[in-house]
Amino acid sequence: MAETRKQVKRSVADGQDEANRRQALIRASARLFREKGFEATTVRDIAGAVGMRSGSPFYHFSNKQEILKAVMEEGLRQGLDRTEEALKAATTPQERFRAMVRTHYGILHDEGSEFIAVLLYDWRSLPDEHKQDIIAVKDRYDLLWQACLQEMLSLGLLGANSDHDKAAADDVKTARLMIMGAINFTVTWYKQHTGRGAMDLDALSDRTVRFFMREAP
């Protein structure tokens, strides 16, 4: 019986080690894909970044495309978790909108948050057979935005909405694409700096909210 318990403990520990190594590969791949691009990054680069032999990543993934899929899935999973947690403390439509804007900026720009930037830059490199899985997860994240923006539009709280423009008030999909598109595009130009005149993520988030959100009618 004692030997069996030892074997179980060893099996659990081995499983945890494998999961940790897999996560290390995903994190390193996200950083390298963001820095060098998917096409320019080799499996040897990824293995070297985590101290593995060049063929070791293939124990966890069949090919580099599967690693890319895992990077995108990790980013979307983190995005869902962080957004759902942020929304728990928000009690009004305005607070929910502010929370979602600030959280999305963090997903894009916090240290170690290269995953979504990779999705934005390297989507075309993902094989079609993997795209449907990623879209299914992304749809869950988009639904959170859809619900928030639908509420904002119905209350006249978005700049795209007005009492004289019923079409804009009903077009929540375009509102989502415009707002998230503006936020996502910051991966091409925003850099966090410190010092006088620098704009941190809180300030950038506040500026974005002011651009899009109207005062209550």
Side-chain angles (χ1 to χ4, degrees):
M1 180 65 70
E3 183 64 28
T4 300
R5 288 173 180 171
K6 288 182 180 179
Q7 290 173 343
V8 170
K9 289 181 179 179
R10 187 180 304 115
S11 178
V12 171
D14 289 345
Q16 291 174 340
D17 288 343
E18 292 302 325
N20 290 338
R21 281 192 283 270
R22 188 177 192 276
Q23 281 300 112
L25 285 168
I26 292 172
R27 289 193 299 270
S29 298
R31 177 176 55 80
L32 289 169
F33 293 161
R34 175 75 185 273
E35 292 174 354
K36 301 175 62 174
F38 174 76
E39 298 297 339
T41 301
T42 66
V43 175
R44 184 183 296 273
D45 293 332
I46 296 168
V50 294
M52 291 183 179
R53 295 180 179 178
S54 59
S56 296
F58 294 121
Y59 179 81
H60 302 274
F61 303 97
S62 297
N63 49 52
K64 194 171 69 165
Q65 286 75 21
E66 279 197 2
I67 300 176
L68 179 61
K69 178 188 176 185
V71 167
M72 294 180 180
E73 286 177 328
E74 178 67 15
L76 289 169
R77 183 192 62 76
Q78 288 187 11
L80 274 169
D81 291 346
R82 291 175 63 171
T83 302
E84 289 173 344
E85 186 64 29
L87 288 173
K88 290 179 181 178
T91 59
T92 68
Q94 295 95 324
E95 288 177 358
R96 284 189 281 274
F97 182 60
R98 290 181 182 278
M100 295 195 73
V101 170
R102 179 60 182 85
T103 302
H104 196 70
Y105 273 124
I107 293 166
L108 291 173
H109 297 290
D110 283 347
E111 185 176 354
S113 294
E114 293 90 3
F115 303 98
I116 297 300
V118 171
L119 188 154
L120 296 172
Y121 280 124
D122 291 313
W123 177 252
R124 293 181 179 179
S125 297
L126 191 68
D128 289 341
E129 62 265 27
H130 294 327
K131 285 182 177 178
Q132 291 306 312
D133 293 334
I134 299 300
I135 290 171
V137 183
K138 183 177 180 297
D139 284 347
R140 293 172 55 199
Y141 183 64
D142 287 347
L143 282 174
L144 296 177
W145 277 91
Q146 291 277 126
C148 176
L149 296 180
Q150 184 67 71
E151 186 177 29
M152 295 283 288
L153 283 168
S154 66
L155 295 173
L157 296 176
L158 280 185
N161 187 18
S162 77
D163 296 335
H164 306 291
D165 190 353
K166 185 73 164 56
D170 290 338
D171 195 356
V172 64
K173 180 180 179 181
T174 298
R176 174 178 60 80
L177 291 172
M178 291 178 67
I179 294 170
M180 293 187 70
I183 298 173
N184 287 339
F185 193 68
T186 62
V187 301
T188 69
W189 61 267
Y190 176 75
K191 298 291 183 183
Q192 293 198 66
H193 299 288
T194 58
R196 187 174 181 179
M199 184 182 294
D200 63 14
L201 288 179
D202 288 332
L204 182 60
S205 177
D206 288 343
R207 186 75 57 86
T208 302
V209 169
R210 290 202 303 271
F211 282 150
F212 287 106
M213 190 169 73
R214 300 173 66 197
E215 296 294 329

